[in-house]
Amino acid sequence: MWNKVEEGSMEISMEDEGSRKKRKNSPVLLKKMKKTLKNLWNFGKEDPRRVIHALKVGVSLTFVSLLYLMEPFFKGVGKNALWAVMTVVVVLEFSAGATLRKGLNRGLGTLIAGSLAYFIEFVALHSGKVLGGIFIGTAIFIIGSTITYMRFIPYIKKNYDYGMLVFLLTFNLITVSSYRVDTVIKIAHERLYTIGMGIGICLFMSLLVFPIWSGDDLHKSTVNKLQGLSRCIEACVSEYFKEKEKDKETSDSESDDEEIIYKGYKTVLDSKSTDEALAMYARWEPRHTRRCHKFPSQQYIKVGSVLRKFGYNVVALHGCLKTEIQTPRSIRVLFKDPCVRLAREICKVLSELSESIRDRRHCSPEILSDSLEVALKDLNSTIKSQPKLFLGSNLHGDITNKHLNGSVSYYNETNLNAVVSNHNDNNSNGGVLGQTMEQSDTVAPLRLNNSVSLSNSTLDRRSVKKSAVTGDRRRIRKQLSKVAVMKSLEFSEALPFAAFASLLVEMVARLDNVIDEVEELGTIACFKEYDKTVEVRIEKPVD
């Protein structure tokens, strides 16, 4: 009796625990569902054309499904209506150029394969059963090998690979099946009609119902890359010369600047495959512009290539903000004004180029203004006015020692010589410090120069006191990793800034290549002439 009561109480408690878990999990599931729906909404909001394309695919599938669902259409087409559904699923792409490319490849591949298979069957029927079979086998071998080899040709692989694959599949299916079944040709004709219907619906939806042009996407991508580089340079220069703030809000502003910089040059450097795909699809698109000019897809690729080379300099400029050894801010301030003005002029040129491409007009003849040359001269004169900074004068040794990492904060000549002499005594070696630094932590075969040799006593002592020497070497390496290099090379505090300034000057030199390619693009694309009333505006000042 008591056992039954206990079992009943146990079941009730288990049910209570299960209900409690469900109650706890229900808010978690609701949060996940809300998060998923929010992500889907943001994904569609980012590019509303994705929603439009999804609706176009749904409408197209509904149209071709009527061929199978409605009785009159089904009697006329039959079971081959499913090929129209398959065609819509495979052919209908996001852009009009991609749909045209796939649709024409599929249609031409099917048509040519069907025609050739009909010819092969005609010859085989008039050759007898045995000779016909041999002829069909030989034709399949020759055509299959030839088409497969042609698919390796870069131009064909890039533009007609899908059509070649459809041709090979269709030809083999029809040719082999027609040897045993007499109605294969009739079935092939019906399938060809249904495939044509599917391709027609795809082309109608892609070209006439909210068309999405790959050429326009490539055009906008080029404009965005120029604007992104301009904002990236502004952010880098502003961050480099920013004074050290004491507020806690600096972390948020720095993260925003880092996001702008990364997004600016990452978009440019990762755009090669996307640009090539868009250019390939744009070549298939009809001339849909008002003046019906041919879209210069190859020139857009050249502009993208030049911008990637320019972007490498921007990456290096951003790297100057992340180096271990930095120029003190007290020295950076001396060169802030010319660098900021030079960066402003570079951004002004990039903004003018982006606006000229966006408005489909030629850029200003005076795009390289006198202000750019003045900023270059001022930077040059400012650097020449501070020769001691770039010659590694000992007057700035205190600043260098303050910026050293590790446990060592200050080394004078006496301390450095003491450490080096201690290290030389432990190793009984008359070599230089650089040779000691290259030795491994474990006992390994030494790389001896002609002028350096070790005595037998040193080797014996080294084998006995292996752990002690290794510990000393590690300690010395840790202490001298930066100090010895700086002291031996008379390292200058302004050297990191010299790299930063040289990258700005290199950007000015690379601007000529960018301007030349953009002007060539305007000539090929028949851009309108430059209007003098147009003014170039920069969104944010560099200061």
Side-chain angles (χ1 to χ4, degrees), residues 390-418:
F390 297 94
L391 295 178
S393 176
N394 291 329
L395 295 175
H396 303 278
D398 295 338
I399 301 176
T400 303
N401 293 323
K402 290 180 181 179
H403 292 274
L404 294 178
N405 295 327
S407 60
V408 182
S409 60
Y410 179 79
Y411 274 89
N412 54 21
E413 296 294 336
T414 305
N415 295 333
L416 181 64
N417 293 331

Side-chain angles (χ1 to χ4, degrees), residues 194-345:
T194 55
I195 289 173
M197 292 178 187
I199 292 174
I201 292 174
C202 291
L203 295 180
F204 175 80
M205 298 298 293
S206 294
L207 299 177
L208 301 179
V209 181
F210 298 104
I212 300 172
W213 305 107
S214 298
D216 292 345
D217 289 344
L218 182 59
H219 180 86
K220 294 175 183 177
S221 174
T222 305
V223 174
N224 292 333
K225 285 186 286 188
L226 284 165
Q227 293 176 350
L229 288 175
S230 176
R231 290 192 291 266
C232 185
I233 295 171
E234 287 182 11
C236 283
V237 176
S238 176
E239 180 68 22
Y240 190 78
F241 291 103
K242 184 185 295 183
E243 295 182 1
K244 194 172 183 180
E245 300 176 358
K246 298 181 180 180
D247 299 336
K248 296 182 180 180
E249 298 177 355
T250 54
S251 59
D252 297 335
S253 62
E254 288 179 359
S255 62
D256 294 338
D257 292 339
E258 288 293 324
E259 184 178 358
I260 293 173
I261 295 171
Y262 279 118
K263 187 177 179 180
Y265 64 72
K266 189 176 184 298
T267 304
V268 177
L269 298 181
D270 296 343
S271 64
K272 183 178 180 180
S273 58
T274 305
D275 289 351
E276 289 179 351
L278 291 175
M280 180 180 63
Y281 298 148
R283 285 196 292 268
W284 289 86
E285 294 175 351
R287 301 184 182 185
H288 57 277
T289 57
R290 184 178 301 176
R291 298 181 181 180
C292 292
H293 293 304
K294 184 179 179 181
F295 186 79
S297 55
Q298 290 298 323
Q299 188 60 32
Y300 275 99
I301 292 178
K302 291 181 181 179
V303 174
S305 177
V306 172
L307 290 180
R308 279 192 295 275
K309 293 178 181 178
F310 190 89
Y312 298 148
N313 281 53
V314 180
V315 175
L317 191 72
H318 181 229
C320 293
L321 306 179
K322 304 296 181 181
T323 55
E324 292 292 335
I325 303 172
Q326 291 284 346
T327 300
R329 296 185 182 275
S330 59
I331 297 178
R332 295 187 207 177
V333 175
L334 301 175
F335 309 97
K336 179 179 179 180
D337 182 64
C339 288
V340 167
R341 286 192 289 114
L342 183 60
R344 185 188 296 117
E345 293 300 322

